[in-house]
Amino acid sequence: ATQRTFYEEVGGAETFRKLTATFYEEVAADEVLRPLYPEEDLGPAERRLRMFLEQYWGGPRTYSDERGHPRLRMRHHPFRVGPIERDAWLRCMHIAIASIDAETLDDAHRRALVDYMEMAANSMMNSPV
Ligand code: HEM
């Protein structure tokens, strides 16, 4: 039998759509994060995060087809990401993860997602303040 990917196990495209939609609703209202985004329309940024996460967790590889190698630390260089930005980003992401119901995302999968986001947000920091 073929192995199911994490992406499939947590509900596929619909789950990642809801996750990133809720995340960007929070970003839009966050006074630390919102000014960092160069575009008035957050839609394209939402789509890039969604494609990246889908690919990371074993879903479609649309992100790399469109954007090439992720090089996420490099792509964040234009933005100062210190502890305040990291905390704001994680606050939004924790709300987004909490918006996915327990039937779709069981405890183990939820834990894996939270752990990854915390690790990734820490690794994205490029400023001590
Ligand atoms: C892009 C902020 C962490 C994934 C961006 C952009 C900003 C930003 C301002 C540009 C928006 C755009 O795409 O046009 C931050 C801040 C973070 C953070 C303040 C705080 C820690 C993360 C983490 C991930 C991530 C942890 C992955 C798990 C992405 C992706 C893009 C992006 C995939 C689009 C890259 C591309 O151009 O293809 N981020 N980010 N970010 N961020 Fe973050």
Side-chain angles (χ1 to χ4, degrees), residues 54-114:
E54 289 186 330
Q55 173 170 315
Y56 179 85
W57 292 102
R61 300 195 53 82
T62 322
Y63 180 87
S64 280
D65 291 346
E66 291 190 12
R67 307 287 291 162
H69 191 287
R71 301 185 203 286
L72 284 190
R73 269 187 63 82
M74 186 196 77
R75 291 191 207 265
H76 287 76
H77 275 157
F79 318 107
R80 186 182 69 189
V81 185
I84 292 171
E85 289 77 16
R86 185 242 359 238
D87 289 352
W89 194 98
L90 280 174
R91 185 191 68 77
C92 297
M93 188 52 79
H94 285 137
I95 290 171
I97 294 173
S99 79
I100 310 296
D101 62 71
E103 206 179 309
T104 305
L105 197 60
D106 67 22
D107 286 349
H109 288 81
R110 190 176 298 274
R111 191 70 247 163
L113 213 44
V114 168

Side-chain angles (χ1 to χ4, degrees), residues 23-24 32-33 35-39 41-42 44-46 48-53 63 67 69-72 75-76 79-82 85-90 93 116-125:
F23 176 77
Y24 271 99
V32 171
L33 296 177
L36 292 179
Y37 287 81
E39 314 265 326
D41 181 6
L42 290 175
E46 175 181 332
R48 288 190 277 273
L49 179 62
R50 177 168 55 74
M51 290 189 305
F52 171 79
L53 292 173
Y63 180 87
R67 307 287 291 162
H69 191 287
R71 301 185 203 286
L72 284 190
R75 291 191 207 265
H76 287 76
F79 318 107
R80 186 182 69 189
V81 185
E85 289 77 16
R86 185 242 359 238
D87 289 352
W89 194 98
L90 280 174
M93 188 52 79
Y116 166 75
M117 296 299 183
E118 291 179 352
M119 178 280 294
N122 277 315
S123 79
M124 220 60 82
M125 285 206 289

